[in-house]
Amino acid sequence: MNQLQLPRRHFLIAAGSAGMATALSDTLNIPSAFAQEPKPLPPYAAWKNADAMIVHSNNTLETKREFFGTSGITPEDELYIRNNVPAPDESIIADRDAWEVEIEGVRNPGKKTLADLKKLGLETTAMVLQCSGNGRGFHKHKASGTPWTVGAAGNVIWSGVPLREVVKAMGGLADGRNFITGTGGEELPKNIDPKTIMVERSVPISALDDALLAWEVNGKPISLAHGGPLRLVFPGYYGVNNVKYIKKLAFTEKESDATIQRTGYRVRPPGQKGSPDQPSMWEMTVKSWVTHPLKETDQGPVLIYGVAFGGNRSVKSVAVSTDDGNTWQEARLVGPDLGKYAWRTFVLAADLKPGTHIIASRATDVAGNTQPEEFAENERGYGHNGWRAHAVAVTVV
Amino acid sequence: MSQYIRVWALLLFTWLPFESAGAESLELGKLVFLEKAEPPCSLCHTLKSAGSTGEIGPNLDELKPDEERVSNAVKNGVGTMPPYDEMLSEAEIAAVASYVAEAVLRENGR
């Protein structure tokens, strides 16, 4: 070993860039100086399966692509996390039934505890939970935000009371209500206008029929990390709309004027500013990705599998290509159909010869929408469902 | 011996951008971080160099964003973080971006 000893601090200052760092590292033969140590799980998510997660930051944890499995359900300990502001203190789940949510925009507004809500009705819904920015890492421009690839998504089963039952119990909707607006119970710094950073999202009133106030996920009370004790759930809608620690639920005439709604989560061409007249990240679109094989496999028979969903409607079919999109074969959907909002596992038996194969999947929903080959860039890198970017290059030996 | 010359040449070369970063710009960047932005970056972000311990947004010492990433985030906002492009001038955004990128590199390395 011919290593040059430098004080670490000076060395790092001098390095300047990752590329130069690599050059220096090679020159100096310092194997670990720039190796990215995986970040540890944050305390509120310490119970997660660390092997399955990529920790981007304390509030952004991604499921590794090889961990999605084939049974159709994402375990809570391998489900991604995207918290826009830090989770509240754990004390809020000490007495779950005592959690209160304020309900406005109904004829008889008022507060309901979780214990009250549990008497109003019960529904169970399987659905894809997916961050608006899932696939941002595939965008060619350097969109701000976490560079998720495929792992800011999972398929989970929520249990709770249908929102329509809550509305019914409170005398029905007040007149002229066009949106459902949920406000999270996160604590915000006092010396700031709360509208600036609060998590408050509005979705169109048409989402009422299938929405839930959920207290259970995959058969267990919802963890703090995923929004327990109570989470507002809109099947078919992007993750951000599913407000955690729901503290206030309002049926409103207009969309929220909080920054996260007004200019945040708006789709526009690169370089443009966010504005309320641009499309909001509401309903999800058709999408799929291969989860096996991902890097290398033996020549001969191989099962290619992955997950596919239609967003706000059922997925109908999935085609798989092993030759960079030149030819496609229809894959078989596997396992139980958990409803239109859930994802399906797909599988295709292939026989691969040695070499590099570009393996892609392309899903179509029941309305005939198919994943595009390329996805138009947008400023914040939202909603990528282009099949080419989601393809994998597999070496067959 | 030739390896040592190569090493020091590399070090000298990579030092230059920092020498030319501009102390005034970095001072302005720190001022924007702590005071000029409203709400200030320091309210929500931890950054050792600025002595800030905000816990609403990502810890910048851990996130280690480069200049372009900071600049994009400040201009356009990220998640609940509001865009600052109407409040801050381009020079101020550039200054805070280079200040944060330089500070995290200096304090934490890559």
Side-chain angles (χ1 to χ4, degrees):
Chain A
M1 298 289 276
N2 184 17
Q3 292 192 358
L4 182 67
Q5 297 296 314
L6 275 177
R8 180 177 161 80
R9 186 180 151 98
H10 289 165
F11 177 68
L12 293 174
I13 292 170
S17 73
M20 193 56 77
T22 306
L24 276 171
S25 188
D26 290 347
T27 305
L28 300 173
N29 195 15
I30 298 177
S32 61
F34 293 99
Q36 282 279 354
E37 291 280 324
K39 290 192 183 91
L41 294 167
Y44 76 100
W47 49 274
K48 291 256 174 192
N49 176 2
D51 292 340
M53 309 306 296
I54 303 161
V55 181
H56 293 285
S57 74
N58 278 0
N59 289 328
T60 47
L61 282 68
E62 177 167 6
T63 309
K64 289 180 185 168
R65 190 165 183 161
E66 62 269 34
F67 272 82
F68 283 111
T70 53
S71 62
I73 294 296
T74 310
E76 201 184 3
D77 69 353
E78 295 179 359
L79 181 63
Y80 83 98
I81 296 179
R82 197 290 182 248
N83 274 1
N84 265 296
V85 294
D89 189 81
E90 221 173 320
S91 59
I92 71 164
I93 54 168
D95 183 359
R96 291 169 178 268
D97 282 353
W99 179 260
E100 281 187 332
V101 55
E102 193 179 342
I103 300 172
E104 295 177 355
V106 286
R107 296 204 186 279
N108 304 310
K111 286 186 174 176
K112 293 275 185 205
T113 63
L114 180 44
D116 297 334
L117 293 170
K118 283 179 173 174
K119 294 170 188 161
L120 294 182
L122 183 67
E123 188 69 81
T124 294
T125 304
M127 62 168 244
V128 174
L129 185 70
Q130 180 185 215
C131 183
S132 305
N134 197 31
R136 180 180 288 126
F138 296 134
H139 280 261
K140 293 180 187 79
H141 72 292
K142 213 170 179 179
S144 56
T146 304
W148 314 101
T149 55
V150 297
N155 193 46
V156 292
I157 301 181
W158 302 103
S159 277
V161 59
L163 218 50
R164 57 179 192 277
E165 296 293 342
V166 179
V167 170
K168 197 168 140 193
M170 301 184 85
L173 288 176
D175 292 336
R177 305 293 131 164
N178 301 312
F179 295 94
I180 308 169
T181 300
T183 312
E186 294 94 342
E187 274 194 37
L188 305 175
K190 299 225 176 342
N191 45 347
I192 187 172
D193 174 2
K195 292 282 181 189
T196 312
I197 58 168
M198 75 196 311
V199 178
E200 185 172 274
R201 287 287 298 175
S202 302
V203 305
I205 197 78
S206 57
L208 177 62
D209 281 352
D210 290 338
L212 302 177
L213 281 172
W215 50 78
E216 202 174 288
V217 64
N218 295 348
K220 288 183 183 167
I222 304 172
S223 64
L224 182 75
H226 290 292
L230 191 65
R231 182 164 186 176
L232 179 59
V233 169
F234 292 112
Y237 281 68
Y238 281 102
V240 66
N241 303 291
N242 299 270
V243 174
K244 297 174 176 178
Y245 334 107
I246 180 85
K247 202 62 193 157
K248 187 172 145 188
L249 174 69
F251 299 91
T252 53
E253 290 176 44
K254 295 178 179 171
E255 293 179 40
S256 166
D257 60 353
T259 303
I260 193 172
Q261 179 77 24
R262 200 166 42 81
T263 58
Y265 293 88
R266 297 284 175 178
V267 182
R268 69 274 190 182
Q272 278 191 22
K273 293 177 51 175
S275 143
D277 58 3
Q278 298 154 347
S280 189
M281 288 306 287
W282 283 332
E283 294 181 325
M284 295 190 287
T285 54
V286 62
K287 189 166 174 174
S288 69
W289 57 86
V290 168
T291 59
H292 174 85
L294 293 178
K295 287 175 186 159
E296 199 176 284
T297 192
D298 293 336
Q299 60 177 300
V302 60
L303 292 180
I304 297 168
Y305 48 80
V307 295
F309 55 98
N312 63 341
R313 51 177 73 86
S314 292
V315 63
K316 184 183 166 200
S317 61
V318 184
V320 170
S321 171
T322 59
D323 58 4
D324 201 15
N326 288 317
T327 60
W328 295 86
Q329 283 179 274
E330 186 153 334
R332 184 170 63 88
L333 297 177
V334 182
D337 182 347
L338 297 172
K340 64 178 183 176
Y341 299 121
W343 72 28
R344 302 290 304 270
T345 300
F346 64 82
V347 65
L348 178 79
D351 197 333
L352 299 178
K353 293 186 170 59
T356 299
H357 293 257
I358 305 295
I359 301 180
S361 63
R362 190 181 64 188
T364 300
D365 68 20
V366 289
N369 300 299
T370 298
Q371 285 180 258
E373 178 173 356
E374 303 291 342
F375 182 76
E377 301 275 307
N378 64 77
E379 171 61 32
R380 293 299 328 287
Y382 291 138
H384 199 314
N385 71 342
W387 62 257
R388 180 163 289 285
H390 288 76
V392 287
V394 176
T395 305
V396 178
V397 291
Chain B
M1 190 61 197
S2 64
Q3 188 180 14
Y4 287 96
I5 293 169
R6 194 173 153 208
V7 166
W8 288 113
L10 273 169
L11 289 175
L12 181 65
F13 178 75
T14 52
W15 186 268
L16 289 174
F18 289 92
E19 288 300 294
S20 60
E24 272 181 36
S25 169
L26 293 179
E27 274 303 307
L28 174 63
K30 189 172 183 179
L31 192 68
V32 170
F33 190 90
L34 289 171
E35 293 174 25
K36 276 204 158 187
E38 180 53 48
C41 316
S42 55
L43 186 70
C44 292
H45 293 285
T46 291
L47 181 65
K48 272 186 265 178
S49 164
S52 69
T53 55
E55 290 183 347
I56 297 294
N59 177 328
L60 297 171
D61 292 308
E62 289 175 3
L63 194 68
K64 300 176 190 172
D66 64 18
E67 206 168 317
E68 188 180 353
R69 192 169 179 188
V70 180
S71 172
N72 274 339
V74 173
K75 277 183 199 159
N76 301 308
V78 179
T80 51
M81 174 175 164
Y84 284 84
D85 59 330
E86 286 183 355
M87 181 187 312
L88 300 173
S89 68
E90 280 194 21
E92 286 168 335
I93 292 173
V96 78
S98 60
Y99 165 69
V100 170
E102 195 273 347
V104 296
L105 192 59
R106 178 158 34 83
E107 292 282 345
N108 311 285
R110 278 279 166 199

